Amino acid sequence: MGDSLELRSVLARVRRRWLALVLLGTSARAALAAALPLAAVALATWLMAPSDKILVPVAGAGVLASLAAAAFVVAQMQRRPDDRRVARFVEERLASEEIGRASCEPDALVSAVQMADARDDAGPFGRLVIAQALTALRRVEPGMVIRGAALRRAAAQACAAAAVLVAAVALALPHLLRAGAMTGGTLFPASL
């Protein structure tokens, strides 16, 4: 495998872990954001016991707010980083105390990615820069850059947020079904 391809392969493995962390965090925040309006609908209808005329707009607003909140969180999600950004991230992690034993010259990885991105052959100097960056990267596992514990913690948070969303839906569901039945009866009276 050429050095440029090996460099991209290592960065791709780090990127996969990074994206998994981002997706888990985003799903946790989206689930919590969606749960809040539904929980508010459940609480409001339980405390006030509104009439059907009031229940329909309250339930509708809660569902719309829930969908909008989740969509807003997803829209703010960090996009897939390119190789240069991943290289910068790895350099920062290499400079940290946690994996400092696999040291690398500042900007060496980013420079190597730039050399690998060059359309022309970067020549002997470019190959040397890429080879030196690979020497440092070969001592680094993707799990050293993004720890498995961080991924497990993010997965646990996503599961907990999903449980909160399920609970909010369960609490709001009777009121939402009642509002749906009222709306269906009003819009389609022949169905009654």
Side-chain angles (χ1 to χ4, degrees), residues 101-154:
R101 65 181 172 86
S103 61
C104 182
E105 293 294 321
D107 297 327
L109 293 179
V110 174
S111 297
V113 169
Q114 289 171 338
M115 296 289 181
D117 283 346
R119 294 195 185 268
D120 309 344
D121 181 27
F125 177 72
R127 288 190 293 273
L128 179 64
V129 169
I130 293 170
Q132 286 179 335
L134 277 174
T135 300
L137 277 179
R138 286 181 183 126
R139 293 179 275 174
V140 178
E141 290 296 319
M144 295 168 66
V145 178
I146 297 177
R147 301 270 183 205
L151 288 170
R152 287 188 296 276
R153 185 173 42 255

Side-chain angles (χ1 to χ4, degrees), residues 33-116:
L36 287 174
L38 294 176
V41 166
L43 182 63
T45 54
W46 179 71
L47 289 175
M48 296 186 294
S51 67
D52 292 342
K53 288 182 181 181
I54 295 174
L55 177 64
V56 170
V58 167
V63 169
L64 289 177
S66 179
L67 293 173
F72 178 77
V73 170
V74 170
Q76 301 302 312
M77 182 176 79
Q78 180 180 9
R79 299 296 173 232
R80 180 183 183 272
D82 62 0
D83 283 345
R84 289 180 190 182
R85 188 150 178 227
V86 174
R88 176 69 63 201
F89 178 71
V90 171
E91 282 178 347
E92 290 169 359
R93 298 292 293 149
L94 287 174
S96 74
E97 293 177 17
E98 293 178 27
I99 56 176
R101 65 181 172 86
S103 61
C104 182
E105 293 294 321
D107 297 327
L109 293 179
V110 174
S111 297
V113 169
Q114 289 171 338
M115 296 289 181

